[in-house]
Amino acid sequence: MSLEKSVLNETTILDLLSTHYGISPLSVNKLKLGTANCFQVYDGKKYYFLKEFQSDISEDEVVREAKLLEFLFETECPTACFYKTVHNEFVIKYENHILCLEEYMEGHTYGYNDLPLDLLPKVARMLGKLHQALKDYPLPIGMSEQWLDSISADSVIAKYDELIQIAESKADADKLPQLMDDLRYKKQLAVRCEAYKKYYNGITYCSTHGDFQGCQLIWEQKEIKAVIDFSAAACLPVTWEIMRSFVQSSSLCRTTATIDIPALCEYVREYMRFSPLTKNDMIAMPYVYLFQLAQSSYGYPQYLLNSDSEDREGLLRFAFWRTKMCREVEKKAEEISNELVKLL
């Protein structure tokens, strides 16, 4: 679901790689991966992975990711490395976009909806290993106390009121009923979520991937060969990354917007084989995740306002799915907390 149209074409890619990396590609293939524009490049000897970040991604952010991968190279968390330019830099700039060249990892990847359920425990274990490896690694803090204070029910309601007005004039007629139902629900949820801020008190924060899920893994013979795309890495509540990674990776969650609580408990149990959790973490897990989903409108403005997106329909489908998950998590939050506490 690329958020922006690419500023690259085959000719510019050939020129840029030749100039900055001394590589002469024989083929360039556009890949349908994530929110950035990604390309597979082949020079006759090996494959490379070229990534064109969105225009709002800074050079500092990408360099931070590259240095993080250098650190993880020595751990049990396999990753793909960044190639440096002929001038010993991690990135290049083109048309207000940051580009980087990474190792292309051969192996099998799963989409958003098709990771086999029997692989979920391995996903959880890798996340536990990652948090153990990064527990002392410094990264910017996300979902901080200042961030929490900046979000009020009134501000979230105002955001959804604005989207409701835009939807009434810009949404396709066949999408409008569900759009309006979703936005009104999330507007009401914003009021209830104000009480969930208390769950951030005393929970565990750790440097983490930031977008950990099944589609960010390279597999080989049902084993994880590499974790990819650390562009969202930050110090975040571990409860959020665990719950989100389960929901985003479980094919049951992705296809039916239903949470299997025993499966979630098993996922958390596997995670704890490598990284500990507290009672506060267990109690807070569904509420921290729900709070983030409730205040985030991601997908709706991209569909309504961003004509540059290459997959507006896909972004809207994702927004519809996330709101279904909001309803599901809100309905089961207390039960989820109670069952998770039993794991301690």
Side-chain angles (χ1 to χ4, degrees):
M1 294 187 293
S2 300
L3 293 180
E4 297 177 4
K5 292 180 179 178
S6 177
V7 297
L8 302 174
N9 57 45
E10 187 168 346
T11 300
T12 56
I13 290 174
L14 296 178
D15 289 344
L16 288 168
L17 294 186
S18 175
T19 300
H20 294 279
Y21 292 95
I23 295 171
S24 300
L26 299 178
S27 65
V28 176
N29 296 309
K30 180 81 181 289
L31 303 173
K32 294 182 179 180
L33 297 172
T35 55
N37 288 294
C38 303
F39 305 84
Q40 180 199 64
V41 179
Y42 181 61
D43 69 352
K45 295 180 180 179
K46 63 189 300 184
Y47 289 95
Y48 301 86
F49 181 76
L50 176 66
K51 188 170 184 180
E52 172 197 347
F53 291 88
Q54 302 94 286
S55 55
D56 62 343
I57 301 297
S58 71
E59 179 177 349
D60 287 345
E61 291 174 278
V62 182
V63 171
R64 185 187 303 128
E65 178 186 0
K67 291 180 178 179
L68 174 60
L69 297 186
E70 281 192 326
F71 172 81
L72 287 173
F73 184 77
E74 302 297 333
T75 73
E76 292 186 70
C77 305
T79 62
C81 70
F82 275 55
Y83 290 104
K84 290 188 176 181
T85 69
V86 294
H87 299 294
N88 202 38
E89 296 181 344
F90 284 117
V91 302
I92 59 177
K93 299 176 185 177
Y94 180 76
E95 296 288 333
N96 199 38
H97 286 251
I98 301 298
L99 312 178
C100 70
L101 191 68
E102 299 180 47
E103 179 183 6
Y104 185 85
M105 302 295 294
E106 297 283 354
H108 184 74
T109 57
Y110 293 97
Y112 289 108
N113 305 323
D114 60 355
L115 180 80
L117 289 174
D118 65 335
L119 295 183
L120 274 176
K122 294 181 179 180
V123 177
R125 291 196 289 271
M126 181 55 69
L127 182 58
K129 291 178 182 178
L130 184 64
H131 284 174
Q132 187 63 27
L134 293 177
K135 62 179 181 172
D136 297 319
Y137 189 89
L139 284 175
I141 298 175
M143 300 187 195
S144 64
E145 185 177 346
Q146 292 76 16
W147 170 82
L148 203 60
D149 289 342
S150 72
I151 298 171
S152 67
D154 287 343
S155 65
V156 177
I157 288 169
K159 175 171 61 177
Y160 286 121
D161 276 336
E162 182 180 2
L163 286 172
I164 287 170
Q165 290 183 336
I166 295 169
E168 288 174 335
S169 61
K170 290 194 173 184
D172 296 330
D174 61 325
K175 307 292 193 310
L176 185 59
Q178 187 170 354
L179 259 169
M180 299 298 285
D181 186 56
D182 279 12
L183 294 172
R184 286 168 179 156
Y185 163 72
K186 295 196 79 173
K187 176 181 171 181
Q188 295 165 357
L189 180 61
V191 178
R192 299 192 289 274
C193 273
E194 189 70 20
Y196 298 162
K197 288 184 177 182
K198 65 183 180 184
Y199 291 103
Y200 284 81
N201 294 329
I203 60 175
T204 304
Y205 278 68
C206 179
S207 292
T208 183
H209 184 279
D211 188 20
F212 190 87
Q213 55 185 299
C215 67
Q216 303 283 28
L217 304 172
I218 307 292
W219 297 82
E220 187 171 74
Q221 297 181 348
K222 293 197 172 182
E223 298 296 331
I224 297 173
K225 183 179 180 181
V227 184
I228 60 174
D229 192 3
F230 283 76
S231 58
C235 182
L236 297 165
V238 297
T239 56
W240 175 83
E241 185 87 299
I242 294 168
M243 182 88 178
R244 180 183 180 277
S245 66
F246 172 80
V247 168
Q248 295 275 115
S249 302
S250 166
S251 56
L252 180 65
C253 291
R254 294 291 309 206
T255 56
T256 68
T258 301
I259 292 179
D260 180 336
I261 296 178
L264 172 60
C265 289
E266 176 64 19
Y267 190 84
V268 174
R269 186 182 293 110
E270 291 297 315
Y271 168 91
M272 288 196 297
R273 290 175 57 183
F274 297 92
S275 197
L277 293 170
T278 67
K279 185 176 180 180
N280 281 347
D281 294 330
M282 298 302 204
I283 293 171
M285 193 174 295
Y287 299 103
V288 167
Y289 179 63
L290 182 59
F291 181 85
Q292 204 280 337
L293 256 63
Q295 60 85 29
S296 171
S297 61
Y298 181 79
Y300 297 112
Q302 285 74 17
Y303 167 76
L304 292 168
L305 301 172
N306 189 358
S307 59
D308 287 337
S309 171
E310 294 185 353
D311 190 13
R312 291 176 65 245
E313 296 290 329
L315 288 163
L316 183 60
R317 286 193 298 271
F318 180 72
F320 285 159
W321 171 78
R322 282 218 310 178
T323 301
K324 288 180 182 177
M325 286 306 312
C326 275
R327 298 177 192 269
E328 172 76 354
V329 176
E330 185 177 26
K331 179 175 68 176
K332 294 181 176 178
E334 184 176 1
E335 183 182 1
I336 290 170
S337 287
N338 290 339
E339 293 302 312
L340 290 174
V341 168
K342 294 177 183 178
L343 299 178
L344 297 173

